[in-house]
Structure formats: structure tokens, C-alpha cells
Amino acid sequence: MEEESGSRIFAMCGTESNYLYPVLPLLPTLPHPNNQGPAHPAYTAPDHKAHLYEWWVHWVEVHVASLVCALPNPMDQDSLPGSSPTEPGSRRGHLGPYPVQARRLTCSSGMNSGRLQVKIKRVCPRKRSRDGLKTQATPAGRRWSSVPETELTPAGRRAGGGGLPRCSTGRRTSSTMAEEAASLEFCSDSEDLFADYDSFLEDSSLLAKLDDAEQNERQRATDQLDGKHDEVLTDSILDAIGDEEPLEDLPPSQLQFQQEVRDQAKRSRLQDGHQTSTTSVRKEAGPETKTEDRTRRRRSVADQLKRTMIGNAVVPAGVSRTAALKETVVSEEMSVAVQAMETVSTETPDLGPFYGLPTRVKDLMMDLRGISSLYDWQQTCLNLDCVQQRKNLIYSLPTSGGKTLVAEILILRELLCRKKDCLFILPYISLVQEKVRGLASFGLELDFMVEEYAGSKGRFPPVKRRNKKSVYVATIEKAHSLVNSLIDTSRLEDLGLLVVDELHMLGDGSRGAVIEMTLAKVQFMSKTTQIIGMSATLGNIRDLQTFLRAENYSSDFRPVELKEFVKVNDTIYEVDPKEENCFKFSRLLSFKYSSSMQKMDPDHIIALVTEVIPTHSCLVFCPTKKNCENVAQMICRYLKEEFLQHQEADKAMLLRDLKDGGNGTVCPVLSRTVPYGVAYHHSGLTSEERRLLEEAYSRGTLCLLTCTSTLAAGINLPARRVILRSPYVASDFLKRSQYKQMVGRAGRAGIDSVGESILILQDKDRSTAKSLVCAPMENCYSNLMMDDGKGILSLILSLVGLNMASSLQQLQDFLRWTLLFVQQQHLCAHKSLTEVLQQSLDFLKDKDLITAELDGSNLKVTRLGKATYKGSVDLTLSDLLYKDLSKGLEGLLLNSYLHLVYLVTPYDLVPQCRPDWMVYFRQFTLLSAAEQKMSAAVGVPESFVARKAAGQTVKKSVDQTVVTRMYLALVLFWVLKEADLWSVSERFRLNRGFVQTLLSSSSAFCSAVLLFTQELEELWPYRALLTELTRRLSYCVKAELIPLMEVAGVMESRAKQLYNAGYRTLTHLANADVAFLTRTIEHLSRKQANQIVASAKMLLNEKAAALQEEVDDLLTKPSDLPLI
């Protein structure tokens, strides 16, 4: 009977509630009455404590049901120690705010057996009155002896059934929960435990019972041990518990309670001088001592029980247990990763669950990217000693090798573990937008910001966030301005990691000079910022290592094998550097050509492409934009009719999307080629057309693209076969780096087992092509001295303006951190760097950009110089821009955008445009009188345009730059009025791609001019005017679509779709359901929908955080407040 009763206790406790876990540490002292074995496999107890055990059997039976329902439980219920999976104690459950099903408690004794049907259900969450619900809890002042023989549970009273018989003190009573299978109901809703509920804590008699039971046990044990001084009786039953090993299988709440019990027992022993209380000591103790002992024992048992159960009850029940556990796991793993990074060594290459990151990141990689594992080279690179020790690193691999993933993991490690901001530099706006979309989902899940710095987007300096870190994804030019702003505000130390994609672009003209300036400044000003460079293979990689003080990791890994071929006439050769002439015969073309086909396609392009399409994809690189269109049309002319049937519905939908994006107009070439799955891709397309064609190619709707070399440097569009129509770009022979970038697009990871590239050669180019396909990679050289030293002039101006240098010597010290210094023997053969610096300083002083003392010391920037470097304006044009803006204030036309548009039309696009004088005159006559007057004021009168249109000579000299700039301003003016690139390009007989370029360049330049005017007080009227103009030029759509187009990757046609579907604001889009969005918007994949929603949420969070930072700044007490 006793063994079954013991099992009943554990079954009830383990099955229904862990609210009783805090009392379980007491059970090791409870005996089996006949001393025939423990009541539970985990516990043993001496025989002399049988009386206390008898009380516990009854107490648990009577109180367990009330405790299950009265106390909310937000924590897990782990299996009781020693219970098997089939025992009730091994089940898991939860109460509180979670769904609770009917549970059954099986209770048995030696004489009777029965089942208690306990139904726990939710009722109305209104507070319930105590008058209507009487519990079995006794009033506060009553003692055990005065409790009635029968007490009713709440459900028992409601049901009108009998109560539970109470065991009388001093004898064993066979308890049954309900012989007639009474159905008891309790409420488990998560109302306030201490409000209108009768609760466990209100039953103060329970604590008295606990005290009395302990006192009686102590007294009985004392009587038994009279005269037996060799036996030891401790002060409290807690001491027996304190020596036991912790029960590791129990929940945290019980383990904590058990630890407190052990600690209390130890303190008790220490207070008594580590002396045990023998029987003789007990006899000598007076009443006061006994009272004091009883009080101390109540603190050690009753109060701790009460306090622990309160702690369990007051845990907020509204918090999702799953979310809480997930957050705990992530935070613990991040803590482990942080500690590992702080104590990193070469002996521990793996820093954490996922390369120093929480397992949650690995799950996100799988969910968002489909990446389940890393390549071997990626694992090796992430575990390099220099990476673990946060040294600078350059790693070089072929195109499509997976370089970006390594950089992203390092960025996430910096954001999450070291809590530092990161800067990711990419060469093109399209790549920046793609990366922002890709990282936005990670930012939302892992709680960091993703900020876009491209075109007109970006804030200088960036918002300083207190609680979140940011990754700035920026173009080359925007990254330089961002670093300048961080240095200017003494915040560069917040930048923990800087990643540069396409590091080999250091040798690419003026943009390379900007990269070099950015990296040199970061190295010079911050010793804690790590620099990671991703590069193609270079011949002089050691120069770059010296420049960046970096290690190098190189690999020739490609996920898909690449086979390179060349075609001469009708013969195909495989590229093999081991061969004497680099070429090894492979095969002859077997495609049969008619005489007309041979004349139209002498290079056999049709034969080469039809070997792979439409089953596989193909890219054909052409030397010019016009050639792209011609080749696409020529291929379609000779394709078979079955090509029209391949994904016919999707191609029809693509044409409709192109028509919608062009406001009812589709390019005639595309309208003929798209039905065959063929299209062209070059800068002559609008950004909307490029997006639609790239998405169609990625999903297989299009199987062939004819393109220029710019596609190879843009977003990743791999193909089974890549064909190079010619070894030329325009009239220039290909560089090896360009060739490698193009052929690197061959082979799609996870789709193809091999990629092929075929270079079409003429006999005259055969010898030259050998160096192209077999020669080592080109060297990379500094461009600070290119274009008459524009780079070094800009560098000196910003160094002086940022107070990084104020003398010639300090400038020389800084130059030691540049690539130019590393390569000075090669680049400065005719004059030293000191001479170069001196000449540059003289030029800047002549331009009134800096001032200096007679001895060259105390260098300072002028107001114009400060405006120039802060606005990133070409310093050779800064004085001209200042004059134009100052002159504009004399008669600024405010009832039209024309004057402002003229002032922000980029100077560098003037050489690329030749006005059509008839069009010029026709559009000029459509201007208002005020607009024509404004045109004459800037230097373009109507008479001049009329004479040029009539073909007459003009004797009066006119600045041709001003005339052409005014022509471009008219183009922009009409774009703003009509918001339609197609109609404007037709109106001015310009390529629509050029109009698109003009619009985006003007938007960026307008943003630069705005920063320029903010540093010059006399130009204050422009600040408000240019802010709105920048916004209009950035999107150039109707005002209602601008909020949607702020989201990365959302173009005009997509914004129209979203707007028509009811998503009118950024908030609408951020709260959109992805599944519903996919069903509502045509040709929107789930991945794209996820990225759009994530980007919208990120942008919304960014705006909210910026506003919150402003509020915090306003409410923060100034640190320099005068003291009273």
C-alpha cells in the first residue's frame, strides 16, 4: 500500500504540474513505512521518518489539483528522475497561457482504487468572486487540528459531489481521490494569481502544517535517541538534503530551490560552529531556544517553499514559451561565441556552433539561401589564424567561387558577437540593392539594421544607434563619403569591419583612386577596424598585401568545372596552357549552313547556341550595344518553330510586363525576340526592363541573352555556355581580367556539372589571343596619379579638411599608408612623392581650397574647400559650381523646376551628348516666357537656338558646355513633367537607356550639391529646394508611388502593381502576408515577396529608430550642463 501511495505522489506531481517541484527536494527524507524500499527509485529514507511521509501522502492528494490550476506555469516540465517513458511522471505538459486538454490522474492504494477525472478548461477571463467559489484553502488563522474532517474542492462543490476525506494525524488512512469517478473541473486561465483568486498562498495553515510536521518529527526522533549520544541529530531535515547530489534532471526552478536549501543548511551549520545538536544539548535548551530554532527552520523550509512557488507563479504568462526558449538559446550561443572570440587561439579553429555564430544563423542560411553546408575552401578560410585574430585578409578566387558568403559570415560575426558596425563596399548600384534585399531578412531575424548607401540614398553621418548595430551597404563613392563623415564625427572606432568586393578595381581609373583613399584613411585612423578584400587573381597581389598589411588566401576552386575553348573558322580548340601554342584540337562544327545562313552568320553563332538552348541557358557577349540587338534578331530568324512553344505562357506574360513598364510601349526588338526566349541586355535598357529580363532569365523563361561586358560585372546570371562574339570591347582588345570575368559566368552551381566558354576568333587575332587566354593576370596599380593627379589632390584636400594632416610632413606620413607609396618606384620615376605633394598643395592654394603659412605649415581648408570634399564634388569643377549657384540666386526661377534642374545637371555627361538642333528649338518654343528668360540668363538665348536649327552660322560666341547642359536640363524637365522615359526619349530622339542614366546621375549629383550648399551659408535658399528635388529625381514617378519605391528593388511597374493591390504605404507593405502577396501580384515569386516585405520592414525600422534617436537626444540631459 505504501509503495503504491508513493508512486501516486510522483505520478501526480510529474504528470500535471511542476509547481510541486520545489517541494520534491524534501522527499528524500520521506521513508517507506515498512522500510522495504524507497517510495521512488531516486529516493531512500530512514525508517524513523515514517510519520512525515504519511502526512505528505495525504497533503499531495488533497492539494495537487488546486495547485495545478491556481498557479500558472510558463516553464518546461521535465521528466522526474528515475521515471520511465511509460510512467506518468515522464510525460511533458504545460499550463498557463497554452492549450490544456483533459488530464487523468490514476491514484491507487492497497484497499481502494479509483480514477479522478480532472478536466481543466478555460472559462471567461473575467475576475471571479471569492463568494461564489470556495476553495479547500483554510482561513489564515486556523490550524491543522481544527480543519473539518471533509473538505471540498472547488469543482466538487460546484458538482455537488462529496469531498476528499482527510487523513487523521497519527494513523495511516487509505486515500482514494473519488471512488465513484467524480468529474472535477478546474480553471487554468492565466489570470492574476494574487488578485481575485483564492490561492495556495492564502492557506496559511499549510505552512503551519509544515512546521508542525517538522517539529513533531524532531521531537519523536529526539525521544528515540535519548541516551544514544553516539548518534547525531542535525538541526533540521534540510541538512539531510544539503549533502545530496543535485538532481540534474529537474527543471531550473527546482534546482535553484535545492541549491538554496543546501546553502541554508550550510549556513545553519556554520552558525552553530559546525557542532551537531545531541540529545543532551536538546535537554539543556530552554523554551526560548526551541522557539528560535522553530523560527529559523520555518525560514529555511516554509519561507523558501513559499518564495520559490511565488517565483514560479509571477512569471509573465503572456510570453510565448517557444520564443523565450529560442531567445535564450540564441543569447547563450552568442555569449559562448563572444567568449571564444576573446580567448581565440590557433588550437581552437571552430569558435562556436556555426563559425562563431548562433545555430540560428545556420538555420537562416538554410531557410533563406538554401545553403546547408560550406565548401571546403570556405571552411578553411573562416578558420584561418589571421581571421580568428582579426587581421586584415585578401582572398582571391575565380568568379562564382562563393567569395561573398564568407564575407557575409564575417559581417554577421562582427555585428552579433563584437557588437560593431560593418561597411560592405560594392561596385554598382544594382549590386548594392541586391545585397540590401538579401541581408534585410537576416537583419530582421537577428536584430541589426541594413542601410543602403547608393545613388541619392544615405545619411551623413549615419544615425548613431544605441541599441542596434548596422551594416552599411555602399557603392565606392558613397563609402568614401561615409568614412569621411565617421572620421569627422570621431566615430570610426564604431566600424569593426570593412569588406571590399572586387578589390582589383583599385587599378580601375578614378574609382580605384577612391577605393585607395577610403582604405588608407581607415587604416590610418583606426587600429581596430578589420579589412577584408575579395579579389580576382592578380599578378602583383603582394603589393596589395603590403598596402593593407594583410594576409592572402588564394584558391582556384570553382563549384562547377570550367572548360575554355576558342573557335577559329569551323574548328573548336580547347585551351590548354601545356600545349606549345595554348590550343588543342577538340572538334569540328557539324551544323549544316545554307549559303544565306553562312552569309548572315559567318561566325556560326546559331550552331553554337542551338547546342544548348532551350534546355540550358546561354550568354553571348558582344562588343557593342548595337551588335547585341543585331545578334539577338539574327539568332531568332533561324530558330525553329518549337522554340515558340517553350514556356509560351510565361513569355507572353513577360511581354505584358514589359509593356506595362513602358507605359504601353515595348521595344520592337524585344517584341520579336522574347517569344523565342531570346533578349538583349545592355545599358540602353531602362532599369525596369533590365530587372524584368534578368528575373525572366533566372527562372528560365528566357534561355539566351546577348549582352555587353557590363553584365559580367553586374549581378550574377550564370549560364551553361558563354560565347564571346569577339575579343574586343568596342575597339579595344580585351584585358585578361575582363576575359576571366566573362568566362567565369559559365557553369551554374547546383544545376550544371560543367560550364563551357567559347571565344570566337578571326585568323588575324589568333596570336594575340594566346596572351589573353594563357598569360598571367595583369598587375594592379595605384590610380592616385591618374588624370593629372586628381586622386591625390582630392586626398590632400580631405586630409586637411578632416584635421588628419596640417603640414607637409604629416601628409608624407599619411602617404605611407597608400598603395601609391608601395609602388612609388614604378609610378613616380620622374619625381618624388614630396615633389608631387608640394605641387598639389600649390594647385589647391591657387584654387582657393586651402590656406597655409609661408613655410607650408598650418594647412587649413577654406569654406569652399570644406564644401567640396563634404559634397564629394570634383575639385576641378567646384569653383564653376559655386559660380553657377551664386549666379542662380540673382534671378532664381521658382515657378518651374527648369532652373533648379539646370543647376544639378551633371557636368560630366555634357561630352556624351550632341544636341539635335531641330528638337532643341522645338522644345525651346514650348517653354513659358519666364523659362525662356531664365535660359537666356544662363547663356542660351532663343535666337542662338533658332539660328543653329536653321543651319546658320552664329557669330556671337556661346559657351558650348552651357548650351549642351541646358539641352540635358530640358530632357530632365520633361521627365519630371511626364514621368515617362519612353515618351521623353522619343521626344528628344535619345536612347532610353541614356535618359535613364541621365536621371540617375542627376539624382546623385543633386544629393552632392545639397551637401555642398550646406557648408556655405550664402547658399542657404537651395537647401530646402534641393531636398525635394533630390527626392523627385530619385524616383521620378507619381507622388503616391514614392513610398513604395523607397523599398530596395521595387521599380515603377512593381510599385504600380502593389499600389493597385491596396498596398499604398510602406507600413502596408511591411505588414503584408507573403503568401497573399504572391497570389495577388503576378510573376512575384515567394523569394521576391519575402525580400520585398523584409526590406520594407527594415526600412520602417530604420525610420522609426532614427526618430527614436532624435527623441532620446532631445530628452537626454546635456553632459556639459553648467553646475550649480
Side-chain angles (χ1 to χ4, degrees), residues 341-415:
M341 292 188 69
E342 292 175 350
T343 59
V344 66
S345 68
T346 57
E347 299 177 356
T348 56
D350 191 0
L351 301 180
F354 184 64
Y355 303 100
L357 290 166
T359 305
R360 177 64 178 147
V361 177
K362 183 178 181 180
D363 297 338
L364 288 174
M365 285 290 180
M366 183 62 195
D367 296 341
L368 301 177
R369 303 280 182 84
I371 298 173
S372 58
S373 61
L374 272 61
Y375 296 129
D376 290 342
W377 83 264
Q378 292 171 329
Q379 299 181 40
T380 301
C381 186
L382 286 169
N383 290 323
L384 291 173
D385 291 345
C386 61
V387 173
Q388 313 292 19
Q389 297 165 12
R390 299 195 70 255
K391 294 180 180 179
N392 295 346
L393 172 69
I394 301 171
Y395 58 98
S396 308
L397 280 96
T399 303
S400 303
K403 297 190 292 290
T404 305
L405 180 58
V406 171
E408 290 178 346
I409 291 175
L410 294 176
I411 287 173
L412 292 175
R413 186 188 296 180
E414 197 72 20
L415 290 166

Side-chain angles (χ1 to χ4, degrees), residues 370-663:
I371 298 173
S372 58
S373 61
L374 272 61
Y375 296 129
D376 290 342
W377 83 264
Q378 292 171 329
Q379 299 181 40
T380 301
C381 186
L382 286 169
N383 290 323
L384 291 173
D385 291 345
C386 61
V387 173
Q388 313 292 19
Q389 297 165 12
R390 299 195 70 255
K391 294 180 180 179
N392 295 346
L393 172 69
I394 301 171
Y395 58 98
S396 308
L397 280 96
T399 303
S400 303
K403 297 190 292 290
T404 305
L405 180 58
V406 171
E408 290 178 346
I409 291 175
L410 294 176
I411 287 173
L412 292 175
R413 186 188 296 180
E414 197 72 20
L415 290 166
L416 302 180
C417 299
R418 297 193 70 249
K419 303 296 183 183
K420 292 286 188 177
D421 296 328
C422 300
L423 173 58
F424 198 169
I425 303 177
L426 297 163
Y428 305 109
I429 294 177
S430 60
L431 294 178
V432 169
Q433 293 175 341
E434 183 184 35
K435 189 56 60 182
V436 168
R437 293 196 301 270
L439 290 176
S441 298
F442 286 91
L444 291 174
E445 293 288 341
L446 301 173
D447 199 29
F448 62 84
M449 305 300 296
V450 182
E451 301 185 37
E452 179 182 347
Y453 281 77
S456 61
K457 293 185 178 180
R459 182 170 177 173
F460 303 103
V463 176
K464 187 174 183 179
R465 308 186 191 282
R466 293 180 174 86
N467 302 320
K468 288 188 178 182
K469 295 303 174 183
S470 298
V471 53
Y472 310 113
V473 187
T475 56
I476 294 170
E477 294 77 13
K478 287 289 184 177
H480 185 225
S481 298
L482 178 63
V483 168
N484 282 344
S485 68
L486 292 175
I487 294 174
D488 194 29
T489 54
S490 301
R491 289 170 50 191
L492 190 60
E493 293 296 330
D494 294 338
L495 190 66
L497 178 66
L498 188 154
V499 178
V500 186
D501 194 10
E502 310 292 353
L503 183 62
H504 54 270
M505 288 187 69
L506 275 166
D508 185 18
S510 60
R511 304 195 80 202
V514 175
I515 298 175
E516 184 176 350
M517 288 187 281
T518 303
L519 296 177
K521 289 176 181 177
V522 171
Q523 288 190 94
F524 184 79
M525 293 298 295
S526 175
K527 307 307 178 187
T528 61
T529 302
Q530 183 183 17
I531 297 177
I532 303 293
M534 298 181 284
S535 171
T537 306
L538 294 174
N540 62 338
I541 194 70
R542 289 192 178 276
D543 285 354
L544 271 64
Q545 284 184 253
T546 305
F547 163 47
L548 294 177
R549 282 79 173 166
E551 301 289 333
N552 175 243
Y553 176 82
S554 297
S555 173
D556 58 359
F557 171 82
R558 276 184 56 87
V560 177
E561 181 187 1
L562 173 63
K563 293 184 177 181
E564 298 179 41
F565 300 92
V566 297
K567 188 191 81 71
V568 182
N569 299 323
D570 60 350
T571 306
I572 295 179
Y573 300 90
E574 184 176 357
V575 176
D576 187 357
K578 298 178 182 179
E579 293 290 324
E580 184 177 353
N581 58 0
C582 290
F583 302 141
K584 181 175 67 175
F585 174 80
S586 177
R587 63 187 174 92
L588 293 174
L589 283 176
S590 58
F591 192 87
K592 294 182 179 180
Y593 270 73
S594 64
S595 57
S596 60
M597 284 184 64
Q598 185 67 37
K599 186 179 296 185
M600 291 294 298
D601 183 22
D603 295 323
H604 306 96
I605 295 176
I606 296 174
L608 295 175
V609 300
T610 52
E611 288 178 345
V612 292
I613 65 171
T615 307
H616 301 288
S617 57
C618 182
L619 293 175
V620 180
F621 285 100
C622 302
T624 65
K625 291 184 287 187
K626 188 62 177 176
N627 192 239
C628 288
E629 300 177 27
N630 292 338
V631 170
Q633 293 183 88
M634 183 267 293
I635 292 173
C636 293
R637 185 176 301 174
Y638 293 100
L639 290 179
K640 297 179 180 179
E641 292 297 323
E642 51 260 34
F643 280 86
L644 293 172
Q645 301 170 5
H646 183 72
Q647 297 198 17
E648 186 176 3
D650 290 338
K651 289 184 286 193
M653 181 61 70
L654 173 59
L655 285 173
R656 287 199 294 271
D657 291 342
L658 288 169
K659 186 175 182 179
D660 293 340
N663 289 325

Side-chain angles (χ1 to χ4, degrees), residues 665-786:
T665 306
V666 180
C667 170
V669 176
L670 291 176
S671 64
R672 289 193 293 269
T673 62
V674 166
Y676 288 91
V678 179
Y680 67 89
H681 185 291
H682 57 62
S683 60
L685 296 170
T686 66
S687 56
E688 179 72 14
E689 288 175 313
R690 285 198 294 269
R691 181 187 66 82
L692 290 172
L693 295 177
E694 289 164 359
E695 290 177 357
Y697 178 83
S698 297
R699 63 175 177 261
T701 302
L702 298 176
C703 57
L704 186 145
L705 289 179
T706 60
C707 50
T708 56
S709 60
T710 55
L711 179 68
I715 65 173
N716 188 23
L717 293 176
R720 172 65 175 269
R721 175 174 290 180
V722 171
I723 300 171
L724 279 67
R725 171 75 175 75
S726 168
Y728 292 89
V729 174
S731 59
D732 299 326
F733 202 80
L734 276 176
K735 296 179 181 179
R736 179 161 172 77
S737 58
Q738 291 175 314
Y739 167 78
K740 279 296 186 181
Q741 204 165 39
M742 292 180 188
V743 301
R745 296 299 183 195
R748 297 163 298 175
I751 301 176
D752 298 324
S753 58
V754 66
E756 301 173 345
S757 70
I758 301 176
L759 171 62
I760 299 175
L761 296 175
Q762 306 301 321
D763 287 325
K764 64 183 180 65
D765 297 321
R766 184 166 181 167
S767 59
T768 312
K770 291 181 183 179
S771 62
L772 178 65
V773 298
C774 296
M777 294 296 293
E778 298 98 340
N779 292 333
C780 175
Y781 293 107
S782 170
N783 277 269
L784 288 179
M785 298 292 292
M786 299 295 290

Side-chain angles (χ1 to χ4, degrees), residues 982-1000:
W982 279 87
S983 62
V984 173
S985 62
E986 291 175 1
R987 178 188 292 271
F988 287 87
R989 299 179 185 176
L990 291 171
N991 185 290
R992 64 188 182 280
F994 177 79
V995 178
Q996 176 80 69
T997 302
L998 173 63
L999 183 61
S1000 58

